[in-house]
Amino acid sequence: MKSPKYDLVKHYYDTGMWNETRVKNAVKKGWITQEECDWILYGEPEGEPDPEPEGEGEPEGESETEEEPEEEPEEEPEE
């Protein structure tokens, strides 16, 4: 769960209104966590994408790829 002021701090940093020092100060003030500070300054860590809105995406282990049809035995040519 994001801190209440995460989006505000990220917006300020992304638009150039705040520099790295100000974002780090937001951690000291308790506005965001250190992890969120790292996300803002260095990007989302691999394997932890933004959460998808409910009802979208796929449950783990399932995919939309089509299953391979079962192979039928080849008929031998008649002589």
Side-chain angles (χ1 to χ4, degrees), residues 20-74:
E20 185 174 332
T21 301
R22 284 197 160 183
V23 175
K24 289 179 179 181
N25 284 339
V27 175
K28 291 178 185 176
K29 295 280 187 182
W31 283 23
I32 60 173
T33 65
Q34 181 62 53
E35 182 179 28
E36 291 169 331
C37 175
D38 292 343
W39 289 350
I40 292 169
L41 297 176
Y42 312 116
E44 296 281 332
E46 291 297 318
E48 292 187 35
D50 287 333
E52 294 180 357
E54 286 189 34
E56 293 185 16
E58 300 172 6
E60 231 174 274
E62 294 183 20
S63 68
E64 292 182 16
T65 57
E66 293 182 22
E67 292 183 19
E68 293 288 323
E70 291 183 25
E71 288 186 31
E72 295 182 21
E74 291 183 26

